[in-house]
Amino acid sequence: VQVGNFRHMITKVQLGGSELAIVVSIVVCCVLLLLCTVALVVYCTKSRRAERYWQKTLLQMEEMESQIREEIRKGFAELQTDMTDLTKELNRSQGIPFLEYKQFVTRTFFPKMCSDYEKSLVQPTYENDTLGPRALPETHPLLQDWQANNTTRPNVEEGITLFSTLLNNKHFLITFVHALEQQKDFAVRD
């Protein structure tokens, strides 16, 4: 410190003593700047790749959607054509085939016992018969008309009425079904 003629030295500061420290600090700063630049370039490259991949995926999804739309259109057109053909066939034939009530009931409830009735539907006439073609008789008792004689008719009608009343009784049906299910030889069809 110098003030007029007064001069006093407090400490000695040396400013440019080592150029090695300056060079090292400049190199470190350059390396850090280079690393930041490389990281920025890598980040931008990966972002562009991800964006391209995303765009490619969107295009593929749109292509798939358009292909599916086209397949659905073609399938619908084919279905319409098939429906038109089926409608034409049904108009030419007797219509939609269905089972008669008797045949449906017989097949459902008595599959083993309705063979004669089935034969009468499949083969409606006897072949090589001397009496000529005729239909097979219905042999199942449920398929024949019910006839009761005059002496038993009131009892049978009363029994049918009582049975109908029992079938309409919820408690009876539940008890009846539980009793049947408790039997070991009871099957689903039964």
Side-chain angles (χ1 to χ4, degrees):
V1 176
Q2 180 178 356
V3 177
N5 287 337
F6 176 71
R7 196 175 221 194
H8 180 58
M9 187 186 306
I10 300 172
T11 184
K12 196 173 192 180
V13 177
Q14 191 172 20
L15 289 177
S18 170
E19 291 185 13
L20 181 63
I22 294 173
V23 171
V24 168
S25 62
I26 291 174
V27 169
V28 167
C29 287
C30 288
V31 168
L32 285 175
L33 185 64
L34 183 66
L35 287 176
C36 288
T37 306
V38 169
L40 185 64
V41 168
V42 168
Y43 174 75
C44 289
T45 306
K46 289 203 180 247
S47 291
R48 280 191 220 128
R49 281 186 192 164
E51 186 67 28
R52 275 188 248 131
Y53 180 74
W54 177 252
Q55 293 295 331
K56 183 179 176 183
T57 304
L58 284 177
L59 286 174
Q60 287 176 347
M61 287 177 60
E62 287 176 8
E63 286 179 23
M64 286 174 53
E65 286 176 2
S66 66
Q67 288 174 356
I68 289 172
R69 249 186 254 116
E70 191 62 31
E71 287 179 21
I72 289 173
R73 279 190 204 122
K74 288 179 183 177
F76 184 73
E78 288 177 12
L79 181 63
Q80 289 293 340
T81 305
D82 293 344
M83 293 273 294
T84 306
D85 294 344
L86 181 62
T87 307
K88 287 178 184 175
E89 282 183 27
L90 289 177
N91 289 338
R92 279 183 260 151
S93 66
Q94 299 293 327
I96 297 174
F98 64 94
L99 297 176
E100 293 178 17
Y101 179 72
K102 288 181 179 181
Q103 184 183 8
F104 173 75
V105 169
T106 310
R107 276 188 177 181
T108 304
F109 294 112
F110 309 104
K112 294 179 183 173
M113 299 178 72
C114 66
S115 60
D116 289 340
Y117 186 68
E118 289 290 325
K119 287 178 188 173
S120 73
L121 291 175
V122 176
Q123 301 169 342
T125 58
Y126 290 115
E127 296 180 17
N128 301 327
D129 195 351
T130 58
L131 299 174
R134 58 190 171 110
L136 287 172
E138 295 176 353
T139 58
H140 197 278
L142 290 179
L143 299 176
Q144 298 173 355
D145 291 331
W146 178 69
Q147 296 174 355
N149 57 21
N150 290 336
T151 58
T152 60
R153 180 176 292 274
N155 291 339
V156 171
E157 287 179 356
E158 182 183 358
I160 290 175
T161 305
L162 290 174
F163 184 64
S164 174
T165 306
L166 280 177
L167 289 178
N168 289 324
N169 185 347
K170 182 179 177 182
H171 179 68
F172 168 76
L173 280 178
I174 291 173
T175 307
F176 182 68
V177 168
H178 285 300
L180 287 176
E181 287 176 343
Q182 289 175 356
Q183 294 180 8
K184 293 181 180 176
D185 60 342
F186 184 72
V188 173
R189 181 164 294 282
D190 296 337

